[in-house]
Amino acid sequence: MKMISKISKIVLALSVVGSSAFAQSLADAKKAIDAEQYQKAKTMLKNLTTTQANKDENFFYYGWVYVLQEYPDSAKAIFQKGIAVNPKSALNYAGLGAVAVLDKDKAGASTNFNQALSLAGKDSKPYLYVGLSYLLNNVDGKVPAEDANAAIAALNKGKAVNAKDAEILIALGDAYRTQLKNTDALSSYQAALDIDPKLAHAKVATGVIWKYANNFESSETEYKAALAIDPNYGPAYREWAETDVRWAFNDPRMASAKIKEATDQYKKYLSLTDLSLDSRLRYADFLLLSGDYKTLQTEAQALSKDAANNLKVYRYLAYAAYENKDYPAGLQAMNTWITKADPKRVIPRDYLYLGRLQIASKQDSLGIASLRKAASIDTTQADVYSDIGKTLFGQKKYLEAAEAYNTYTQKSRNAKLLDHFYEGLSYYYGFQDQYFSKDKSVKADTSLLAKADSAFSYVAQKSPTTPDSYVFRARVNDYREKDRNNIVGYAKPYYEKFIEVALAKGAPADKVKKDLAEAYVYLGTYAEFKDKDMAKATDYFTKAREMDPTNKQVVTFFSKKGGAAKGK
């Protein structure tokens, strides 16, 4: 990750290109937007809205840049100026719909989109931007199915208006991609390239499909093809960098080389943009993606002097500070972000980090509430339940912890065997709390034992050489005994398996010795009272004494045995 930190020096060293170098045509402005040179595009479009103030489309594209940068208020003001120029401006009504999407105003979006399409006539561009607007709420490459379907419907209508509009086909591909309909997406991108083989955007979009399929070599081929079309097409370098990061995380053997390559590619991307505040915020996104939290914190601190212009800086300060264990700074930054930002800009991950920061700051109750809020806003945020489970377990709220762990292990792809183990522990300790409760109205729920046993059984199946799962299965099953004077031996096979696995690892550690003593005591007791085999019982208790001579049941057994011998 050290290589990534070099970018921040380059970012600080480079300056914004002067506006005098910019071409002044709408076509050039649109090209700058596609290349993610947003400051350059805004400078050109601002000029065009002055020199060609009677053209409503100039206002639309000017506002659209603000939409892409998530400045809805600025975008809205510009779109309204466009409508003032031309009350029948379909594009600017599409822009107002896009603002409503950002503001999560479904009714406003629908009204403005309907107005845009009613005015579109034979112009496919309003259909294009209605479709693209529905894709704005994109999180990690995914869009809610309802929005994606609305985008696809609008874009297909635009395609019917003009089947040769390559931008419509690319947008269709993007919409299909968010729903993992990769065959349809690839077909749309290829159709766009058939119309215009020089569309670098379509090549990059194809590379992104291969990225999410973890076919990284094919991704690189597409990015190289895009750069062969246009060597200065920045998005190709950005996507290449992000693909390299994903490659590094998926293949540890390639991690070092791919992180270095990602750094180089992102350096090229930055050199091709205008290096505005928004470009640097995108760089912060890259640092977050790559896990270089130290550089992210340094960069966010450098950006904090411009925080008044974009409060999102506080989000990066909070994320980085948490990952770097600077909890006071992180909590302050996150509280600033959440209290000052437009509530519509606050995302579930913000509450996730707020909860983690609160818990790390010993504000457990507040932290759990924040984590639950993250989950309630986005039900796909299953990973929050891991944090909730850990915190509740630490508070000895075992049944609540068990339910949190269960949700996590059932819904998250990131759940590990340790999470399943703690799920079992939580159910087990929750049962014990009921079993030993001094409140006589509390009845121990035996279904908790079944849930605990299921979790421990899963761990044992996936990791047969982990002894802890067997000893806890033994303890769980021991509670199934209804008559202690006439035991069935439900725990016996699990204690025997525990001994086998624990001793297979060589000399046991002190903690394991105590557990081995427990197992031998159980087997000895079983031999004494169930099998009526005193020799076998003595053998087991002798082994237990070797493991833990202070074990009370061991001491009692040999004291009783010694007394019996003296009596003889």
Side-chain angles (χ1 to χ4, degrees), residues 49-169:
T49 57
T50 302
T51 60
Q52 300 174 10
N54 62 332
K55 292 187 176 181
D56 59 282
E57 62 180 339
N58 291 333
F59 290 92
F60 168 73
Y61 286 104
Y62 189 16
W64 185 251
V65 179
Y66 281 105
V67 167
L68 295 176
Q69 293 181 309
E70 296 186 27
Y71 294 112
D73 292 340
S74 298
K76 184 176 182 179
I78 296 170
F79 294 139
Q80 288 173 334
K81 288 181 182 179
I83 290 171
V85 168
N86 176 9
K88 294 185 177 181
S89 176
L91 278 174
N92 281 289
Y93 277 110
L96 290 177
V99 170
V101 170
L102 289 178
D103 287 340
K104 297 178 173 59
D105 176 7
K106 288 188 176 182
S110 180
T111 298
N112 283 294
F113 289 152
N114 287 338
Q115 179 72 352
L117 297 184
S118 71
L119 296 168
K122 294 183 179 181
D123 182 2
S124 61
K125 294 308 179 190
Y127 293 94
L128 168 65
Y129 286 99
V130 168
L132 290 174
S133 297
Y134 276 118
L135 302 179
L136 288 171
N137 290 324
N138 186 313
V139 179
D140 296 330
K142 296 178 182 178
V143 169
E146 179 184 1
D147 290 342
N149 290 334
I152 291 167
L155 292 165
N156 275 321
K157 288 179 181 177
K159 183 179 174 182
V161 169
N162 182 4
K164 296 296 183 181
D165 188 336
E167 288 184 294
I168 288 273
L169 295 169

Side-chain angles (χ1 to χ4, degrees), residues 2 73 90 116 118 123 164 175 209 211 226 339 355 388 434 484:
K2 292 180 179 178
D73 292 340
S118 71
D123 182 2
K164 296 296 183 181
I209 287 183
K211 174 182 76 172
T339 55
I388 293 172
Q434 294 177 347
R484 289 289 168 183

